[in-house]
């Protein structure tokens, strides 16, 4: 499956080349017999200075996608093209971190910081990657960076164990800023934080993206985080991208039955909302070692027909790209038209 | 706000004090030993404790206390050599195997599997035989035999640590691999190895005694706890108490080393356990 869309300039940035182009990416874990295709033929582009949100259940392969782009897991096949500074092509994308082009923010910041070192050293480490010791003079720079993420100078000499979860995540964000990588993988960066802290960290990430013209791939299973931060949204199921498009369209007018089910499963805190309106997706995500034939979602899809087991649906554009630019809304479902029109027969359950 | 470290339990403190004083005694042997450990006095052989000979004399009339003091130098020095060999060989071995696990690591681990397949003491004796009998060679041999175990434990730690997010972050920042290993991987990965080394230290005292007992350690008349034990054993019918000083000393040293190892393990695992981590998560105002 490919999602081919030439991404025109957005929001007046005037950078025609995408910051990231992933083509037909496959990441396989394990040996041949029991290999898990965690990412199985994903193609997507992210325009410079924008955020691509990736949603999906646990096991959908979204974290693996981020790690593969960062070079932390080996790619089985496909290509990852990362634009260098000023839109020049980046060096051959084969190394970990892609020669400093990619940074990553992890879900659990306590695991993402060396527990035995004061945090200022972690923050400025990307500035001196070849020095055996981190020069004391860089402490001032670290304090400055910590200030940029809303942390006071007293944080600098603490160890990760002496800080709150929100503070720790801000420290890893400060390190990301120090590294000056144009492309950042955010792997559930707020999922481990209290709800009250999530908004602040999301706002910080979005501000930094604007200030430093960063490009994010934002992995989450939380619709509200995605809705807040993403310009485009991709929906993953069992290693495949089943729907992709501008965030507003995908979240408000989802075309794939899986996306629709995911969005319906979100409990709403609103007047008049009843529990009955929350519809949970039935069943579990199938074993990725033996994915269903044809459309992978068919085993849980209320609209599945005989063709779904036989033929893999190709991604189709469901709407024209908006005139102001933006990626086309595409989905991979045989019956998206019928489902939209309300004429698709439901399987009796 | 500082991370509260649990104090060492009293048993471990006593062990530290006992070991330190024994080490001091060994180091100061040339000055504080009451007699020349090699001086024979056949007229006064196999004497019980007396004012002149606090622990009595052996079958050549040599002062047992002085021999134990001098023997301690060989014991502590030999164990240091052995552990140094095990660490200097095993840690790089395991680190390389753990960080590049696919091909290099597989080869390195198969080599260690083969070495571990031999019984420890038998292999140590064989290596000592080929290097030549003596304190240094026998202890180097034991170190060589312990190195593959050290390597496997190091590898396990490195394999687990290299997958940690903070190591991934440093790699993404382009940190040079040797620095990455020293700064981020090894401090965490070597925690179990440190504990293992205390166990090996205790074990080495025993093995050293055994090798000396078998005549593969320091050669007579050099004082050594193991060969003194052997001497005493040969006189067990005529002077049964003679076996106690070197035997008890060896036992006490090993117990002390293990007690310290236990305390270290408790302390490190309490630092690692999730419960403790939660405690440390408390926001510092």
């Amino acid at each position: 499956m490919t999602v081919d869309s030439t991404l025109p300039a957005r929001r007046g940035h005037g950078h025609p080349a995408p910051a990231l182009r992933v083509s037909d990416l496959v990441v396989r874990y394990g040996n041949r017999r029991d290999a898990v295709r965690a990412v199985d033929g994903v193609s997507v582009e992210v325009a410079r200075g924008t955020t691509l949100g990736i949603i999906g259940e646990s096991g959908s392969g979204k974290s693996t996608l981020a790690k593969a782009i960062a070079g932390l897991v080996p790619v089985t096949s496909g290509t990852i093209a990362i634009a260098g500074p000023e839109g020049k092509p980046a060096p051959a994308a084969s190394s970990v971190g892609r020669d400093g082009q990619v940074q990553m923010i992890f879900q659990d910041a306590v695991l993402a910081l060396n527990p035995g070192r004061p945090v200022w050293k972690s923050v400025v480490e990307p500035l001196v990657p070849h020095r055996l010791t981190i020069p004391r003079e860089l402490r001032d720079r670290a304090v400055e960076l910590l200030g940029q993420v809303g942390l006071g100078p007293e944080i600098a000499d603490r160890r990760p164990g002496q800080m709150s979860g929100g503070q720790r995540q801000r420290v890893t964000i400060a390190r990301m800023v120090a590294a000056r990588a144009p492309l950042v993988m955010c792997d559930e960066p707020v999922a481990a934080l209290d709800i009250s802290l999530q908004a602040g960290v999301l706002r910080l990430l979005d501000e930094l993206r604007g200030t430093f013209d960063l490009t994010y791939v934002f992995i989450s299973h939380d619709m509200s985080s995605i809705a807040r931060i993403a310009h485009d949204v991709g929906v993953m199921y069992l290693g495949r991208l089943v729907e992709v498009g501008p965030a507003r369209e995908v979240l408000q007018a989802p075309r794939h039955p899986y996306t629709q089910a995911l969005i319906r499963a979100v409990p709403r805190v609103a007047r008049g909302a009843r529990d009955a309106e929350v519809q949970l997706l039935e069943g579990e995500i199938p074993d990725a070692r033996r994915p269903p034939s044809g459309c992978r979602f068919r085993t849980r899809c209320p609209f599945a027909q005989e063709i779904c087991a036989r033929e893999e649906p190709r991604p189709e554009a469901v709407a024209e790209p908006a005139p102001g630019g933006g990626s086309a809304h595409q989905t991979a479902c045989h019956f998206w038209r019928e489902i939209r029109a309300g004429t698709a027969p439901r399987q009796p359950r | 706000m500082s991370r509260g470290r649990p104090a060492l339990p009293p048993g471990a403190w006593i062990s530290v004090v006992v070991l330190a004083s024994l080490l001091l005694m060994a180091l100061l042997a040339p000055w504080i030993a009451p007699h020349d450990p090699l001086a024979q006095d056949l007229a006064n052989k196999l004497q019980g404790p007396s004012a002149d000979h606090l622990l009595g004399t052996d079958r050549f009339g040599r002062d047992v206390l002085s021999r134990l003091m001098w023997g301690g130098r060989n014991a502590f020095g030999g164990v240091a050599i052995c552990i140094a060999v095990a660490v200097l060989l095993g840690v790089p071995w395991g680190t390389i195997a753990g960080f590049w696990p696919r091909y290099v690591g597989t080869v390195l681990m198969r080599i260690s599997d083969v070495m571990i397949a031999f019984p420890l003491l038998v292999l140590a004796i064989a290596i000592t035989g080929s290097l030549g009998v003596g304190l240094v060679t026998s202890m180097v041999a034991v170190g060589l035999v312990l190195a593959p175990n050290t390597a496997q434990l190091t590898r396990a730690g490195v394999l687990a640590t290299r997958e940690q997010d903070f190591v991934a972050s440093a790699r993404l920042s382009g940190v040079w691999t040797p620095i990455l290993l020293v700064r981020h991987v090894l401090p965490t990965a070597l925690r179990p190895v440190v504990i293992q080394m205390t166990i090996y230290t205790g074990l080495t005292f025993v093995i050293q005694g055994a090798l000396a007992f078998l005549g593969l350690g320091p050669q007579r008349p050099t004082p050594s706890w193991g060969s003194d034990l052997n001497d005493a054993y040969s006189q067990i019918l005529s002077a049964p108490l003679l076996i106690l000083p070197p035997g008890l000393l060896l036992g006490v040293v090993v117990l002390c080393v293990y007690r310290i190892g236990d305390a270290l393990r408790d302390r490190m695992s309490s630092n690692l356990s999730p419960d403790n981590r939660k405690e440390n998560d408390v926001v510092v105002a």
Side-chain angles (χ1 to χ4, degrees):
Chain A
M1 133 175 207
T2 51
V3 177
D4 280 326
S5 55
T6 44
L7 291 166
R10 304 190 63 187
R11 290 169 188 80
H13 275 301
H15 297 295
L20 169 71
R21 175 181 283 141
V22 175
S23 312
D24 222 15
L25 184 74
V26 176
V27 178
R28 205 167 51 198
Y29 288 125
N31 46 17
R32 239 154 264 167
R33 203 96 196 239
D34 268 341
V36 173
R37 291 168 86 96
V39 175
D40 197 3
V42 167
S43 300
V44 73
E45 287 185 358
V46 192
R48 180 160 174 179
T50 69
T51 301
L52 170 71
I54 300 278
I55 49 178
E57 289 166 284
S58 310
S60 61
K62 51 195 195 310
S63 281
T64 305
L65 175 66
K67 285 186 176 159
I69 294 168
L72 290 172
V73 298
V75 167
T76 308
S77 67
T79 56
I80 295 164
I82 296 160
E86 282 83 51
K88 283 186 218 125
S94 60
S95 58
V96 171
R98 314 300 186 198
D99 292 330
Q101 294 294 298
V102 187
Q103 280 285 307
M104 192 149 174
I105 311 265
F106 294 92
Q107 174 173 354
D108 194 349
V110 76
L111 302 176
L113 293 168
N114 189 326
R117 298 168 68 77
V119 296
W120 74 265
K121 289 189 176 176
S122 294
V123 168
V124 292
E125 187 177 40
L127 302 176
V128 282
H130 299 289
R131 292 278 292 271
L132 191 57
T133 54
I134 290 174
R136 187 84 199 154
E137 305 88 80
L138 283 176
R139 196 179 169 282
D140 292 343
R141 176 80 184 113
V143 168
E144 195 183 311
L145 285 158
L146 289 169
Q148 276 182 311
V149 299
L151 293 174
E154 74 281 359
I155 293 287
D157 291 311
R158 292 204 189 144
R159 277 157 220 276
Q162 299 164 341
M163 307 166 64
S164 72
Q167 289 172 326
R168 279 194 289 254
Q169 195 59 288
R170 284 172 188 264
V171 170
T172 70
I173 292 170
R175 172 173 59 192
M176 177 271 278
V177 172
R180 286 279 174 161
L183 183 60
V184 183
M185 302 292 113
C186 305
D187 188 1
E188 309 246 14
V190 298
L193 301 181
D194 282 349
I195 300 283
S196 55
L197 298 171
Q198 289 186 357
V201 171
L202 283 176
R203 197 181 316 120
L204 172 67
L205 281 170
D206 207 44
E207 281 168 12
L208 293 171
R209 181 191 54 77
T211 312
F212 298 105
D213 198 21
L214 303 173
T215 307
Y216 291 159
V217 174
F218 190 98
I219 311 289
S220 182
H221 59 258
D222 173 33
M223 294 288 173
S224 58
S225 306
I226 290 278
R228 261 185 227 180
I229 200 164
H231 301 111
D232 289 327
V233 172
V235 183
M236 280 188 79
Y237 186 77
L238 264 184
R240 304 237 164 173
L241 209 51
V242 297
E243 182 159 10
V244 67
R248 184 131 52 96
E249 283 189 43
V250 173
L251 297 177
Q252 290 181 0
R255 295 299 175 218
H256 197 282
Y258 177 61
T259 317
Q260 293 172 350
L262 271 186
I263 288 169
R264 269 201 308 273
V266 178
R268 267 167 247 271
V269 184
R271 243 177 311 170
R274 299 276 163 108
D275 283 350
E277 288 175 24
V278 176
Q279 292 182 2
L280 296 174
L281 196 53
E282 283 176 33
E284 301 259 317
I285 197 160
D287 184 356
R289 285 170 298 186
R290 289 165 200 82
S293 63
C295 174
R296 299 187 168 199
F297 185 57
R298 69 176 169 83
T299 52
R300 298 164 78 188
C301 180
F303 305 106
Q305 301 285 323
E306 180 248 349
I307 186 179
C308 300
R310 210 175 55 232
E311 232 175 85
E312 168 110 45
R314 311 241 104 230
E316 286 177 55
V318 300
E320 291 301 310
S327 55
H329 184 181
Q330 302 186 41
T331 190
C333 174
H334 290 297
F335 296 107
W336 69 268
R337 285 185 190 83
E338 290 81 353
I339 292 168
R340 182 170 61 169
T343 57
R346 267 176 187 272
Q347 290 294 315
R349 295 231 162 219
Chain B
M1 68 172 277
S2 71
R3 177 187 304 216
R5 288 202 160 172
L8 282 180
W13 268 118
I14 293 170
S15 302
V16 169
V17 170
V18 168
L19 273 187
S21 38
L22 285 175
L23 184 64
L24 201 66
M25 198 180 77
L27 287 173
L28 296 179
W31 298 279
I32 64 169
H35 293 273
D36 179 352
L38 303 181
Q40 300 191 359
D41 180 6
L42 291 172
N44 288 314
K45 66 174 183 176
L46 298 176
Q47 298 272 303
S50 64
D52 193 24
H53 300 288
L54 285 174
L55 292 174
T57 59
D58 67 4
R59 62 175 164 145
F60 298 111
R62 298 174 299 197
D63 182 50
V64 170
L65 178 62
S66 302
R67 284 187 67 79
L68 286 182
M69 286 178 168
W70 281 89
R73 293 166 78 87
N74 289 329
F76 285 106
V79 168
I81 291 171
C82 170
I83 296 300
V85 169
V87 167
L88 290 178
L89 192 65
V91 167
W93 184 348
T95 303
I96 292 169
F99 203 75
W100 292 277
R102 286 193 72 130
Y103 303 110
V104 183
T106 306
V107 171
L108 288 176
M109 282 305 102
R110 289 300 84 80
I111 295 172
S112 69
D113 287 345
V114 169
M115 288 183 70
I116 288 169
F118 288 97
L120 198 157
L121 200 54
V122 173
L123 193 57
I125 289 169
I127 297 177
T128 310
S130 62
L131 292 176
V133 167
L135 172 74
V136 175
T137 53
S138 67
M139 286 296 99
V140 168
V142 176
L144 288 175
V145 173
L146 294 177
N149 291 287
T150 310
Q152 294 212 336
L153 199 65
T154 305
R155 171 179 169 272
V158 169
L159 268 180
T161 310
R162 74 192 282 272
E163 298 301 326
Q164 299 249 348
D165 289 346
F166 68 87
V167 177
S169 291
R171 293 176 82 185
L172 290 175
S173 302
V175 175
W176 197 38
T177 303
I179 296 175
L180 182 84
L181 287 170
V182 171
R183 188 186 290 164
H184 295 298
V185 177
L186 290 180
T188 305
L190 288 185
R191 287 174 164 207
V193 177
V194 170
I195 294 157
Q196 182 78 345
M197 284 309 121
T198 64
I199 294 171
Y200 283 173
T201 302
L203 183 69
T204 306
F205 275 107
V206 176
I207 293 175
Q208 186 191 41
L211 287 175
F213 186 91
L214 294 171
L216 295 166
Q219 295 303 290
R220 290 193 176 85
T222 312
S224 128
W225 296 350
S227 50
D228 284 10
L229 206 56
N230 192 358
D231 269 357
Y233 179 68
S234 70
Q235 305 296 311
I236 195 135
L237 292 178
S238 48
L241 290 180
L242 205 50
I243 204 158
L244 286 180
L248 282 178
L249 190 59
L250 205 50
V252 165
V253 166
V254 171
L255 282 178
C256 287
V257 169
Y258 282 162
R259 188 65 195 84
I260 295 170
D262 270 357
L264 273 180
R265 193 198 54 215
D266 290 349
R267 187 175 176 150
M268 284 187 179
S269 56
S270 75
N271 272 351
L272 288 173
S273 76
D275 292 348
N276 190 280
R277 213 176 77 190
K278 278 283 171 284
E279 238 173 71
N280 288 336
D281 276 3
V282 172
V283 185
V284 183

